[in-house]
Amino acid sequence: MIKELVKDEAVLSKRCAIATAEDAAIAQDVVDTLASLEDAACLAANQIGQAVAVGAYLDDERKAHVLYNPKVIFGLGAARVEEGCLTRDEPSKVTRYAKIKLSFDELVDGELVRRKRDFVGWEAQMIQHIADHCAGKLV
Ligand SMILES: [Zn+2]
């Protein structure tokens, strides 16, 4: 279901609870809402008012990828970049890694399965943005 974006910093600055397989409906709302937004590339659940650690991003083909409990284990190639956010009016300067190793959970047959994977470039940047939202970090 498409939800309204939440821009309230009191909501967005709270660390999100660990997501479970029961949060699949919230993840679907994140995907639906993200797909409905013209220039959006990624969205976290707390941006639609659900304080659980799940988010999604769109790849180059605008296919949605859901990440439960994303956590950057380490990164390489830190650089300062300017980044926009759907729930912030002004772009901000942030430090982002060009390459990351991410741990996250994936929903497989109704259960969360822990994964570790490397991401680079634009994908890595969006994922770091999602992981920040899940940690309640406001750039
Ligand atoms: Zn954001």
Side-chain angles (χ1 to χ4, degrees):
M1 208 185 300
I2 296 169
K3 300 282 183 182
E4 238 170 90
L5 294 182
V6 172
K7 297 192 176 186
D8 185 346
E9 292 202 355
V11 175
L12 294 173
S13 61
K14 254 194 247 145
R15 175 175 282 278
C16 294
I18 292 170
T20 68
E22 262 92 272
D23 296 316
I26 293 174
Q28 189 57 51
D29 288 346
V30 171
V31 169
D32 293 344
T33 306
L34 177 58
S36 76
L37 300 165
E38 189 92 359
D39 294 316
C42 67
L43 187 68
N46 60 352
Q47 294 179 282
I48 56 167
Q50 299 287 343
V52 291
V54 62
Y57 69 92
L58 300 175
D59 65 20
D60 288 340
E61 271 106 55
R62 286 190 71 79
K63 181 181 183 305
H65 299 266
V66 174
L67 302 167
Y68 290 81
N69 305 311
K71 215 174 158 202
V72 177
I73 302 168
F74 65 81
L76 295 171
R80 294 289 282 172
V81 295
E82 199 170 72
E83 203 171 80
C85 176
L86 289 171
T87 47
R88 260 182 107 81
D89 296 331
E90 298 290 324
S92 333
K93 288 255 184 203
V94 288
T95 300
R96 294 291 183 218
Y97 299 113
K99 181 177 180 182
I100 57 167
K101 186 173 282 295
L102 187 81
S103 96
F104 63 100
D105 295 318
E106 193 174 5
L107 192 65
V108 181
D109 298 330
E111 308 245 347
L112 289 186
V113 180
R114 180 126 291 233
R115 308 268 192 222
K116 271 182 197 157
R117 200 171 291 163
D118 294 338
F119 293 92
V120 296
W122 170 237
E123 235 176 345
Q125 187 180 348
M126 286 189 287
I127 290 167
Q128 288 168 83
H129 191 101
I130 294 170
D132 278 355
H133 273 299
C134 291
K137 238 162 116 181
L138 292 168
V139 284

